[in-house]
Amino acid sequence: AQKITQTQPGMFVQEKEAVTLDCTYDTSDQSYGLFWYKQPSSGEMIFLIYQGSYDEQNATEGRYSLNFQKARKSANLVISASQLGDSAMYFCAMRGRIQGAQKLVFGQGTRLTINP
Amino acid sequence: DTGVSQNPRHKITKRGQNVTFRCDPISEHNRLYWYRQTLGQGPEFLTYFQNEAQLEKSRLLSDRFSAERPKGSFSTLEIQRTEQGDSAMYLCASSPLRRGGHEQYFGPGTRLTVT
């Protein structure tokens, strides 16, 4: 079974600072994918970034980067130069490549608040 | 390219009534997913379609729940004899069937309240 753990229920950060959101995972699959989604108060889940388990480099998408440490089974999201619009819930998720390969398993989320 | 749409956005119903939700995926996305999200939790997988075939179902999907995707286009999720525990946000997502098509694109969700 796959499991995602997000240990930070809430984070408060000053605008323009960098922030790291923690995510650890557990899986018996050798091949898997890791995702981060943002959910603003409107409710829609917005895809941010993806990391494959065999990708040699950490994924980056604009201000978002994924700090992937395979041996530690961690996939932390780093947001550089935070903005007020970054305030939202953030979910880490994973997908296996074998059985149940199409479903995403989500963590409980971290609520990020950016203070002006 | 329009995104995933879901209707209705909100539904209030009395316990015991049947409800049906609709999801229109991004055009030409072969894969369609349903998730349920309760307050303070991450989404939980319910079911998955590839074209019109329902290929995977969670044990969360009790016999009161049924999902269809006729002709491999839009999908409907029906809940019969609703219970208060069914109150949640129901999210639909779609993704393309192609190499590297990893991410799932979510709709705005249907918020169900059972009174």
PDB file of all heavy atoms in Angstrom, chain B residues 74-100:
ATOM      1  N   PHE B  74     -18.365  12.387 -21.318  1.00  0.00           N
ATOM      2  CA  PHE B  74     -18.653  12.844 -19.965  1.00  0.00           C
ATOM      3  C   PHE B  74     -18.902  11.644 -19.050  1.00  0.00           C
ATOM      4  O   PHE B  74     -19.119  10.514 -19.514  1.00  0.00           O
ATOM      5  CB  PHE B  74     -19.861  13.788 -19.972  1.00  0.00           C
ATOM      6  CG  PHE B  74     -21.163  13.101 -20.274  1.00  0.00           C
ATOM      7  CD1 PHE B  74     -21.964  12.608 -19.242  1.00  0.00           C
ATOM      8  CD2 PHE B  74     -21.601  12.931 -21.573  1.00  0.00           C
ATOM      9  CE1 PHE B  74     -23.159  11.965 -19.513  1.00  0.00           C
ATOM     10  CE2 PHE B  74     -22.796  12.305 -21.856  1.00  0.00           C
ATOM     11  CZ  PHE B  74     -23.572  11.804 -20.819  1.00  0.00           C
ATOM     12  N   SER B  75     -18.886  11.909 -17.761  1.00  0.00           N
ATOM     13  CA  SER B  75     -19.143  10.852 -16.787  1.00  0.00           C
ATOM     14  C   SER B  75     -20.180  11.335 -15.783  1.00  0.00           C
ATOM     15  O   SER B  75     -20.312  12.539 -15.537  1.00  0.00           O
ATOM     16  CB  SER B  75     -17.859  10.477 -16.045  1.00  0.00           C
ATOM     17  OG  SER B  75     -18.105   9.527 -15.023  1.00  0.00           O
ATOM     18  N   THR B  76     -20.920  10.407 -15.214  1.00  0.00           N
ATOM     19  CA  THR B  76     -21.857  10.723 -14.137  1.00  0.00           C
ATOM     20  C   THR B  76     -21.536   9.857 -12.928  1.00  0.00           C
ATOM     21  O   THR B  76     -21.109   8.707 -13.064  1.00  0.00           O
ATOM     22  CB  THR B  76     -23.316  10.488 -14.557  1.00  0.00           C
ATOM     23  OG1 THR B  76     -23.478   9.129 -14.953  1.00  0.00           O
ATOM     24  CG2 THR B  76     -23.715  11.418 -15.686  1.00  0.00           C
ATOM     25  N   LEU B  77     -21.734  10.438 -11.768  1.00  0.00           N
ATOM     26  CA  LEU B  77     -21.599   9.722 -10.502  1.00  0.00           C
ATOM     27  C   LEU B  77     -22.924   9.847  -9.780  1.00  0.00           C
ATOM     28  O   LEU B  77     -23.390  10.957  -9.512  1.00  0.00           O
ATOM     29  CB  LEU B  77     -20.467  10.325  -9.662  1.00  0.00           C
ATOM     30  CG  LEU B  77     -20.250   9.707  -8.276  1.00  0.00           C
ATOM     31  CD1 LEU B  77     -19.719   8.283  -8.393  1.00  0.00           C
ATOM     32  CD2 LEU B  77     -19.270  10.558  -7.449  1.00  0.00           C
ATOM     33  N   GLU B  78     -23.566   8.729  -9.489  1.00  0.00           N
ATOM     34  CA  GLU B  78     -24.852   8.727  -8.808  1.00  0.00           C
ATOM     35  C   GLU B  78     -24.693   8.136  -7.421  1.00  0.00           C
ATOM     36  O   GLU B  78     -24.004   7.125  -7.243  1.00  0.00           O
ATOM     37  CB  GLU B  78     -25.897   7.919  -9.591  1.00  0.00           C
ATOM     38  CG  GLU B  78     -27.263   7.922  -8.908  1.00  0.00           C
ATOM     39  CD  GLU B  78     -28.298   7.064  -9.623  1.00  0.00           C
ATOM     40  OE1 GLU B  78     -27.914   6.246 -10.479  1.00  0.00           O
ATOM     41  OE2 GLU B  78     -29.493   7.224  -9.307  1.00  0.00           O
ATOM     42  N   ILE B  79     -25.312   8.782  -6.468  1.00  0.00           N
ATOM     43  CA  ILE B  79     -25.378   8.256  -5.109  1.00  0.00           C
ATOM     44  C   ILE B  79     -26.842   8.013  -4.786  1.00  0.00           C
ATOM     45  O   ILE B  79     -27.664   8.933  -4.844  1.00  0.00           O
ATOM     46  CB  ILE B  79     -24.769   9.218  -4.075  1.00  0.00           C
ATOM     47  CG1 ILE B  79     -23.367   9.672  -4.494  1.00  0.00           C
ATOM     48  CG2 ILE B  79     -24.713   8.540  -2.705  1.00  0.00           C
ATOM     49  CD1 ILE B  79     -22.772  10.735  -3.574  1.00  0.00           C
ATOM     50  N   GLN B  80     -27.160   6.784  -4.471  1.00  0.00           N
ATOM     51  CA  GLN B  80     -28.543   6.440  -4.099  1.00  0.00           C
ATOM     52  C   GLN B  80     -28.687   6.435  -2.586  1.00  0.00           C
ATOM     53  O   GLN B  80     -27.736   6.144  -1.855  1.00  0.00           O
ATOM     54  CB  GLN B  80     -28.896   5.066  -4.663  1.00  0.00           C
ATOM     55  CG  GLN B  80     -28.895   5.020  -6.195  1.00  0.00           C
ATOM     56  CD  GLN B  80     -29.287   3.651  -6.732  1.00  0.00           C
ATOM     57  OE1 GLN B  80     -28.975   2.631  -6.133  1.00  0.00           O
ATOM     58  NE2 GLN B  80     -29.990   3.641  -7.856  1.00  0.00           N
ATOM     59  N   ARG B  81     -29.893   6.779  -2.150  1.00  0.00           N
ATOM     60  CA  ARG B  81     -30.221   6.744  -0.707  1.00  0.00           C
ATOM     61  C   ARG B  81     -29.118   7.437   0.107  1.00  0.00           C
ATOM     62  O   ARG B  81     -28.476   6.841   0.973  1.00  0.00           O
ATOM     63  CB  ARG B  81     -30.387   5.296  -0.252  1.00  0.00           C
ATOM     64  CG  ARG B  81     -31.414   4.519  -1.059  1.00  0.00           C
ATOM     65  CD  ARG B  81     -31.569   3.078  -0.560  1.00  0.00           C
ATOM     66  NE  ARG B  81     -30.315   2.339  -0.537  1.00  0.00           N
ATOM     67  CZ  ARG B  81     -29.765   1.779  -1.587  1.00  0.00           C
ATOM     68  NH1 ARG B  81     -30.330   1.879  -2.786  1.00  0.00           N
ATOM     69  NH2 ARG B  81     -28.641   1.098  -1.473  1.00  0.00           N
ATOM     70  N   THR B  82     -28.923   8.716  -0.178  1.00  0.00           N
ATOM     71  CA  THR B  82     -27.816   9.449   0.440  1.00  0.00           C
ATOM     72  C   THR B  82     -27.884   9.406   1.960  1.00  0.00           C
ATOM     73  O   THR B  82     -28.966   9.377   2.568  1.00  0.00           O
ATOM     74  CB  THR B  82     -27.800  10.913  -0.010  1.00  0.00           C
ATOM     75  OG1 THR B  82     -29.094  11.493   0.191  1.00  0.00           O
ATOM     76  CG2 THR B  82     -27.399  11.045  -1.458  1.00  0.00           C
ATOM     77  N   GLU B  83     -26.702   9.418   2.555  1.00  0.00           N
ATOM     78  CA  GLU B  83     -26.540   9.438   4.010  1.00  0.00           C
ATOM     79  C   GLU B  83     -25.729  10.683   4.374  1.00  0.00           C
ATOM     80  O   GLU B  83     -25.021  11.237   3.537  1.00  0.00           O
ATOM     81  CB  GLU B  83     -25.787   8.183   4.467  1.00  0.00           C
ATOM     82  CG  GLU B  83     -26.466   6.888   4.075  1.00  0.00           C
ATOM     83  CD  GLU B  83     -25.616   5.662   4.366  1.00  0.00           C
ATOM     84  OE1 GLU B  83     -24.455   5.832   4.800  1.00  0.00           O
ATOM     85  OE2 GLU B  83     -26.114   4.530   4.164  1.00  0.00           O
ATOM     86  N   GLN B  84     -25.822  11.087   5.638  1.00  0.00           N
ATOM     87  CA  GLN B  84     -25.096  12.284   6.052  1.00  0.00           C
ATOM     88  C   GLN B  84     -23.593  12.124   5.855  1.00  0.00           C
ATOM     89  O   GLN B  84     -22.885  13.083   5.561  1.00  0.00           O
ATOM     90  CB  GLN B  84     -25.431  12.636   7.502  1.00  0.00           C
ATOM     91  CG  GLN B  84     -26.831  13.207   7.659  1.00  0.00           C
ATOM     92  CD  GLN B  84     -27.102  13.732   9.057  1.00  0.00           C
ATOM     93  OE1 GLN B  84     -26.663  13.153  10.037  1.00  0.00           O
ATOM     94  NE2 GLN B  84     -27.846  14.821   9.136  1.00  0.00           N
ATOM     95  N   GLY B  85     -23.100  10.929   5.971  1.00  0.00           N
ATOM     96  CA  GLY B  85     -21.679  10.659   5.764  1.00  0.00           C
ATOM     97  C   GLY B  85     -21.224  10.842   4.331  1.00  0.00           C
ATOM     98  O   GLY B  85     -20.018  10.830   4.057  1.00  0.00           O
ATOM     99  N   ASP B  86     -22.176  10.991   3.415  1.00  0.00           N
ATOM    100  CA  ASP B  86     -21.811  11.238   2.014  1.00  0.00           C
ATOM    101  C   ASP B  86     -21.474  12.699   1.769  1.00  0.00           C
ATOM    102  O   ASP B  86     -20.979  13.043   0.688  1.00  0.00           O
ATOM    103  CB  ASP B  86     -22.961  10.829   1.083  1.00  0.00           C
ATOM    104  CG  ASP B  86     -23.280   9.351   1.155  1.00  0.00           C
ATOM    105  OD1 ASP B  86     -22.365   8.545   1.441  1.00  0.00           O
ATOM    106  OD2 ASP B  86     -24.460   8.991   0.923  1.00  0.00           O
ATOM    107  N   SER B  87     -21.740  13.555   2.738  1.00  0.00           N
ATOM    108  CA  SER B  87     -21.434  14.978   2.583  1.00  0.00           C
ATOM    109  C   SER B  87     -19.930  15.150   2.368  1.00  0.00           C
ATOM    110  O   SER B  87     -19.119  14.722   3.199  1.00  0.00           O
ATOM    111  CB  SER B  87     -21.865  15.762   3.816  1.00  0.00           C
ATOM    112  OG  SER B  87     -23.268  15.734   3.956  1.00  0.00           O
ATOM    113  N   ALA B  88     -19.563  15.751   1.265  1.00  0.00           N
ATOM    114  CA  ALA B  88     -18.151  15.881   0.877  1.00  0.00           C
ATOM    115  C   ALA B  88     -18.072  16.685  -0.402  1.00  0.00           C
ATOM    116  O   ALA B  88     -19.095  17.025  -1.015  1.00  0.00           O
ATOM    117  CB  ALA B  88     -17.516  14.501   0.646  1.00  0.00           C
ATOM    118  N   MET B  89     -16.827  16.953  -0.814  1.00  0.00           N
ATOM    119  CA  MET B  89     -16.576  17.518  -2.139  1.00  0.00           C
ATOM    120  C   MET B  89     -16.255  16.346  -3.059  1.00  0.00           C
ATOM    121  O   MET B  89     -15.397  15.517  -2.734  1.00  0.00           O
ATOM    122  CB  MET B  89     -15.405  18.485  -2.092  1.00  0.00           C
ATOM    123  CG  MET B  89     -15.005  19.028  -3.447  1.00  0.00           C
ATOM    124  SD  MET B  89     -16.098  20.349  -3.994  1.00  0.00           S
ATOM    125  CE  MET B  89     -15.250  21.745  -3.256  1.00  0.00           C
ATOM    126  N   TYR B  90     -16.937  16.280  -4.197  1.00  0.00           N
ATOM    127  CA  TYR B  90     -16.667  15.224  -5.174  1.00  0.00           C
ATOM    128  C   TYR B  90     -15.910  15.846  -6.346  1.00  0.00           C
ATOM    129  O   TYR B  90     -16.409  16.742  -7.025  1.00  0.00           O
ATOM    130  CB  TYR B  90     -17.972  14.555  -5.614  1.00  0.00           C
ATOM    131  CG  TYR B  90     -18.545  13.730  -4.486  1.00  0.00           C
ATOM    132  CD1 TYR B  90     -19.332  14.326  -3.495  1.00  0.00           C
ATOM    133  CD2 TYR B  90     -18.257  12.378  -4.376  1.00  0.00           C
ATOM    134  CE1 TYR B  90     -19.809  13.585  -2.430  1.00  0.00           C
ATOM    135  CE2 TYR B  90     -18.741  11.632  -3.312  1.00  0.00           C
ATOM    136  CZ  TYR B  90     -19.505  12.240  -2.339  1.00  0.00           C
ATOM    137  OH  TYR B  90     -19.979  11.502  -1.277  1.00  0.00           O
ATOM    138  N   LEU B  91     -14.698  15.362  -6.537  1.00  0.00           N
ATOM    139  CA  LEU B  91     -13.791  15.923  -7.536  1.00  0.00           C
ATOM    140  C   LEU B  91     -13.652  14.971  -8.712  1.00  0.00           C
ATOM    141  O   LEU B  91     -13.532  13.759  -8.537  1.00  0.00           O
ATOM    142  CB  LEU B  91     -12.412  16.164  -6.928  1.00  0.00           C
ATOM    143  CG  LEU B  91     -12.325  17.214  -5.821  1.00  0.00           C
ATOM    144  CD1 LEU B  91     -11.007  17.084  -5.063  1.00  0.00           C
ATOM    145  CD2 LEU B  91     -12.455  18.609  -6.395  1.00  0.00           C
ATOM    146  N   CYS B  92     -13.638  15.538  -9.892  1.00  0.00           N
ATOM    147  CA  CYS B  92     -13.401  14.783 -11.111  1.00  0.00           C
ATOM    148  C   CYS B  92     -12.085  15.255 -11.703  1.00  0.00           C
ATOM    149  O   CYS B  92     -11.724  16.440 -11.597  1.00  0.00           O
ATOM    150  CB  CYS B  92     -14.548  15.020 -12.095  1.00  0.00           C
ATOM    151  SG  CYS B  92     -14.339  14.222 -13.698  1.00  0.00           S
ATOM    152  N   ALA B  93     -11.353  14.353 -12.308  1.00  0.00           N
ATOM    153  CA  ALA B  93     -10.088  14.706 -12.958  1.00  0.00           C
ATOM    154  C   ALA B  93      -9.976  13.939 -14.263  1.00  0.00           C
ATOM    155  O   ALA B  93     -10.624  12.905 -14.444  1.00  0.00           O
ATOM    156  CB  ALA B  93      -8.902  14.390 -12.047  1.00  0.00           C
ATOM    157  N   SER B  94      -9.151  14.452 -15.160  1.00  0.00           N
ATOM    158  CA  SER B  94      -8.900  13.724 -16.403  1.00  0.00           C
ATOM    159  C   SER B  94      -7.437  13.836 -16.776  1.00  0.00           C
ATOM    160  O   SER B  94      -6.722  14.736 -16.304  1.00  0.00           O
ATOM    161  CB  SER B  94      -9.789  14.235 -17.545  1.00  0.00           C
ATOM    162  OG  SER B  94      -9.425  15.551 -17.947  1.00  0.00           O
ATOM    163  N   SER B  95      -6.990  12.905 -17.594  1.00  0.00           N
ATOM    164  CA  SER B  95      -5.610  12.933 -18.074  1.00  0.00           C
ATOM    165  C   SER B  95      -5.549  12.275 -19.440  1.00  0.00           C
ATOM    166  O   SER B  95      -6.399  11.449 -19.787  1.00  0.00           O
ATOM    167  CB  SER B  95      -4.672  12.229 -17.086  1.00  0.00           C
ATOM    168  OG  SER B  95      -4.923  10.841 -17.043  1.00  0.00           O
ATOM    169  N   PRO B  96      -4.547  12.646 -20.224  1.00  0.00           N
ATOM    170  CA  PRO B  96      -4.432  12.060 -21.560  1.00  0.00           C
ATOM    171  C   PRO B  96      -3.788  10.686 -21.491  1.00  0.00           C
ATOM    172  O   PRO B  96      -3.034  10.378 -20.570  1.00  0.00           O
ATOM    173  CB  PRO B  96      -3.525  13.055 -22.288  1.00  0.00           C
ATOM    174  CG  PRO B  96      -2.683  13.658 -21.218  1.00  0.00           C
ATOM    175  CD  PRO B  96      -3.538  13.686 -19.984  1.00  0.00           C
ATOM    176  N   LEU B  97      -4.113   9.881 -22.486  1.00  0.00           N
ATOM    177  CA  LEU B  97      -3.492   8.563 -22.592  1.00  0.00           C
ATOM    178  C   LEU B  97      -2.300   8.699 -23.529  1.00  0.00           C
ATOM    179  O   LEU B  97      -2.405   8.502 -24.726  1.00  0.00           O
ATOM    180  CB  LEU B  97      -4.508   7.548 -23.141  1.00  0.00           C
ATOM    181  CG  LEU B  97      -4.007   6.108 -23.322  1.00  0.00           C
ATOM    182  CD1 LEU B  97      -3.628   5.516 -21.986  1.00  0.00           C
ATOM    183  CD2 LEU B  97      -5.073   5.253 -23.997  1.00  0.00           C
ATOM    184  N   ARG B  98      -1.178   9.103 -22.977  1.00  0.00           N
ATOM    185  CA  ARG B  98       0.017   9.225 -23.797  1.00  0.00           C
ATOM    186  C   ARG B  98       1.228   9.092 -22.898  1.00  0.00           C
ATOM    187  O   ARG B  98       1.151   9.293 -21.694  1.00  0.00           O
ATOM    188  CB  ARG B  98       0.068  10.593 -24.496  1.00  0.00           C
ATOM    189  CG  ARG B  98       0.026  11.791 -23.560  1.00  0.00           C
ATOM    190  CD  ARG B  98       0.269  13.089 -24.292  1.00  0.00           C
ATOM    191  NE  ARG B  98       0.017  14.245 -23.435  1.00  0.00           N
ATOM    192  CZ  ARG B  98       0.882  14.732 -22.556  1.00  0.00           C
ATOM    193  NH1 ARG B  98       2.060  14.157 -22.397  1.00  0.00           N
ATOM    194  NH2 ARG B  98       0.587  15.802 -21.831  1.00  0.00           N
ATOM    195  N   ARG B  99       2.325   8.759 -23.496  1.00  0.00           N
ATOM    196  CA  ARG B  99       3.559   8.600 -22.746  1.00  0.00           C
ATOM    197  C   ARG B  99       3.929   9.940 -22.099  1.00  0.00           C
ATOM    198  O   ARG B  99       3.936  10.978 -22.751  1.00  0.00           O
ATOM    199  CB  ARG B  99       4.677   8.144 -23.671  1.00  0.00           C
ATOM    200  CG  ARG B  99       5.970   7.825 -22.951  1.00  0.00           C
ATOM    201  CD  ARG B  99       7.022   7.331 -23.930  1.00  0.00           C
ATOM    202  NE  ARG B  99       8.284   7.051 -23.282  1.00  0.00           N
ATOM    203  CZ  ARG B  99       8.543   5.917 -22.652  1.00  0.00           C
ATOM    204  NH1 ARG B  99       7.650   4.963 -22.631  1.00  0.00           N
ATOM    205  NH2 ARG B  99       9.716   5.728 -22.078  1.00  0.00           N
ATOM    206  N   GLY B 100       4.200   9.911 -20.834  1.00  0.00           N
ATOM    207  CA  GLY B 100       4.563  11.132 -20.117  1.00  0.00           C
ATOM    208  C   GLY B 100       3.373  11.918 -19.612  1.00  0.00           C
ATOM    209  O   GLY B 100       3.551  12.959 -18.982  1.00  0.00           O
TER     210      GLY B 100
END
